[in-house]
């Protein structure tokens, strides 16, 4: 409804009620806008148009029904961020989920069954048990024992919405469930683009851990999800096959090649080998004080390709090609200008990930 869309768009822009009123040239007061958001009043058409212009959204966006609820969204990783930044991230997630569900509904995919994994979330009683859960999830999803080429695409194929943009402060990623007006909750993973490609992969695996692990208060959840991520991206048997069961030391080039095989950061690879007993704590210290000095803050020889979520944009272009939506609707869903959409369809312009 209009009230929810208005509040969502305002928070996504990071505007207070007073700031939005000012951006509209004070044609209505902040108090009036507050009443619009609480559904106590409805704006006249000229005011609705001014609101859309100030918020840089199409008027049709404000008038469209929302497919997600603004309630029951918790972002554990944003607890220490400013309220304004937290509200902006929450609103951005809800807006992206809403647009995603719109195009799925148009294409008849809104009832697509989410692929478990069956039995999730799985209860653990120790950090080390996250290893077992990672193995089980890989088995449920028929991933085999080898490296995962593209974890972003993997999660999208399993019905998990993956979004990427630069998050505020020191937040690398977050996960949540967004309540739908109708249907099952939507599982969401968000990853910040401010890190190297391999660290983004690890963040996504870590956030998947939050979705599939049932962690009691007696277990450190962050450590459990770190263990899950390492085990999910670098399975025990495959890693041992590559490096051996016990090692006293590593050279720089070998570690770089191993981290490229599994697509995780060099520092995370060292910690993963420590967790499996391949190297001792003393060896870890020697690596981080020697060839690995600075690896915790700067990634050595990062991956060349950054994974991007592509399913949403593919669905939008599919709906446009099949005449299920208009060019203007595609522009609204993808947050692009109509001329950009026309260029993309004609092959004279490229579509960037959003």
């Amino acid at each position: 409804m209009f009230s929810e869309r208005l509040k969502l768009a305002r928070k996504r822009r990071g505007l207070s009620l007073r700031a939005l009123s000012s951006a509209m040239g004070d044609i209505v007061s902040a108090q009036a806008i507050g009443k619009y958001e609480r559904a106590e009043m409805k704006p006249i058409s000229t005011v609705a148009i001014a609101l859309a212009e100030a918020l840089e959204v199409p008027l049709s966006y404000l008038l469209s029904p929302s497919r997600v609820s603004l309630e029951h969204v918790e972002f554990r990783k944003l607890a220490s961020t400013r309220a304004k930044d937290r509200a902006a991230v929450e609103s951005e997630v809800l807006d992206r989920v809403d647009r995603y569900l719109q195009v799925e509904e148009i294409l008849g995919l809104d009832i697509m069954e989410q692929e478990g994994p069956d039995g999730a979330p799985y209860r653990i009683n120790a950090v080390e048990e996250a290893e077992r859960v990672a193995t089980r999830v890989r088995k449920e999803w028929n991933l085999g024992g080898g490296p995962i080429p593209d974890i972003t695409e993997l999660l999208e194929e399993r019905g998990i919405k993956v979004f990427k943009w630069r998050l505020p402060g020191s937040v690398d990623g977050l996960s949540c469930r967004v309540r739908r007006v109708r249907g099952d909750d939507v599982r969401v993973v968000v990853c910040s683009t401010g890190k190297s490609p391999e660290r983004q992969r690890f963040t996504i695996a870590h956030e998947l851990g939050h979705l599939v692990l049932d962690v009691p208060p007696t277990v450190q959840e962050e450590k459990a999800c770190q263990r899950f991520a390492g085990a999910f991206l670098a399975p025990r048997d495959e890693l041992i096959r590559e490096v051996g069961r016990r090692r006293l030391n590593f050279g720089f080039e070998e570690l770089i090649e191993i981290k490229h095989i599994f697509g995780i950061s060099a520092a995370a690879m060292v910690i993963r080998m420590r967790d499996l007993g391949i190297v001792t704590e003393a060896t870890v210290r020697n690596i981080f004080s020697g060839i690995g000095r600075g690896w915790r803050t700067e990634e050595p020889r990062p991956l060349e390709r950054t994974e991007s979520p592509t399913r949403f944009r593919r669905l939008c272009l599919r709906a446009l090609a099949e005449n299920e939506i208009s060019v203007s609707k595609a522009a609204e869903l993808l947050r692009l200008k109509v001329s950009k959409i026309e260029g993309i369809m004609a092959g004279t312009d490229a579509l960037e990930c959003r």
Side-chain angles (χ1 to χ4, degrees):
M1 50 193 302
F2 185 92
S3 58
E4 291 183 348
R5 288 297 186 110
L6 174 60
K7 186 176 181 179
L8 185 65
R10 178 179 63 80
K11 287 188 173 183
R12 186 162 58 83
R13 287 291 311 280
L15 296 175
S16 65
L17 293 172
R18 189 180 300 276
L20 177 53
S21 174
S22 177
M24 298 170 62
D26 294 314
I27 64 172
V28 292
S29 66
Q31 291 79 7
I33 296 174
K35 290 183 178 181
Y36 300 154
E37 291 188 356
R38 295 190 298 271
E40 295 173 0
M41 287 175 50
K42 288 186 177 181
I44 61 175
S45 59
T46 55
V47 172
I49 292 171
L51 283 166
E53 290 177 350
L55 293 169
E56 298 181 3
V57 296
L59 179 58
S60 59
Y61 169 83
L62 295 179
L63 298 176
S64 299
S66 179
R67 284 140 176 93
V68 293
S69 168
L70 297 182
E71 311 298 331
H72 311 295
V73 181
E74 296 181 2
F75 293 99
R76 147 192 52 76
K77 288 291 188 67
L78 292 175
S80 61
T81 61
R82 295 184 307 166
K84 179 180 178 180
D85 290 337
R86 185 165 61 249
V89 172
E90 292 177 356
S91 299
E92 180 71 17
V93 169
L94 290 166
D95 178 66
R96 290 189 181 219
V97 171
D98 187 52
R99 288 184 288 121
Y100 210 134
L101 295 178
Q102 283 187 56
V103 73
E104 284 189 332
E105 182 177 313
I106 289 167
L107 292 172
L109 304 174
D110 57 310
I111 58 173
M112 182 184 72
E113 183 177 352
Q114 298 181 356
E115 296 186 36
D118 290 341
Y122 306 107
R123 182 76 170 188
I124 63 170
N125 294 301
V127 167
E128 295 73 20
E129 292 181 14
E131 187 96 18
R132 166 182 53 80
V133 175
T135 301
R136 179 169 181 176
V137 174
R138 289 183 67 104
K139 183 177 180 181
E140 290 278 350
W141 284 349
N142 298 314
L143 301 182
I148 297 173
D150 192 323
I151 190 171
T152 301
E153 181 179 4
L154 171 67
L155 265 59
E156 288 201 299
E157 289 176 348
R158 266 61 184 184
I160 298 173
K161 311 304 186 195
V162 181
F163 304 117
K164 288 189 177 185
W165 74 87
R166 186 177 288 273
L167 295 171
S170 60
V171 180
D172 290 337
L174 52 93
S175 55
C176 67
R177 292 175 183 267
V178 177
R179 188 171 300 278
R180 301 178 67 175
V181 173
R182 298 184 304 275
D184 297 333
D185 290 355
V186 180
R187 296 174 297 170
V188 177
V189 166
V190 180
C191 175
S192 180
T193 55
K195 301 291 184 179
S196 68
E198 43 271 85
R199 295 192 181 203
Q200 291 182 35
R201 282 170 53 87
F202 197 87
T203 293
I204 291 174
H206 177 103
E207 296 306 328
L208 174 62
H210 282 291
L211 292 176
V212 301
L213 293 175
D214 178 9
V215 186
T218 54
V219 177
Q220 293 180 289
E221 185 170 355
E222 290 302 307
K223 286 189 175 181
C225 290
Q226 290 292 94
R227 187 64 179 263
F228 173 89
F232 192 72
L233 291 172
R236 177 183 180 278
D237 292 346
E238 186 69 11
L239 182 55
I240 289 175
R241 188 179 72 82
E242 291 290 346
V243 304
R245 191 171 298 277
R246 295 285 187 275
R247 292 291 298 270
L248 297 177
N249 205 355
F250 281 90
F252 177 84
E253 194 62 34
E254 181 187 5
L255 275 175
I256 294 300
E257 290 186 6
I258 294 300
K259 75 133 188 169
H260 274 265
I261 288 174
F262 292 97
I264 66 176
S265 72
M269 178 57 69
V270 173
I271 299 301
R272 175 67 178 142
M273 291 191 292
R274 181 205 64 188
D275 290 343
L276 293 177
I278 296 172
V279 297
T280 64
E281 190 64 49
T283 300
V284 171
R285 289 196 298 270
N286 289 338
I287 291 174
F288 284 136
S289 63
I291 61 173
R293 182 173 300 181
W295 283 1
R296 294 184 186 275
T297 56
E298 186 172 349
E299 187 61 34
R301 210 178 298 170
L303 297 172
E304 295 182 359
R305 187 181 79 88
T306 300
E307 297 176 4
S308 299
T310 60
R311 183 174 180 270
F312 170 68
R313 61 177 182 172
R314 289 201 311 269
L315 293 181
C316 290
L317 296 179
R318 169 182 163 186
L320 179 57
E322 293 293 323
N323 294 319
E324 296 288 347
I325 59 175
S326 64
V327 174
S328 60
K329 182 62 177 179
E332 176 188 324
L333 290 172
L334 291 167
R335 290 189 195 159
L336 296 172
K337 294 182 178 179
V338 168
S339 58
K340 178 77 171 180
I341 297 294
E342 291 173 340
I344 291 166
M345 296 302 288
T348 59
D349 212 337
L351 176 59
E352 299 176 358
C353 296
R354 297 177 70 86

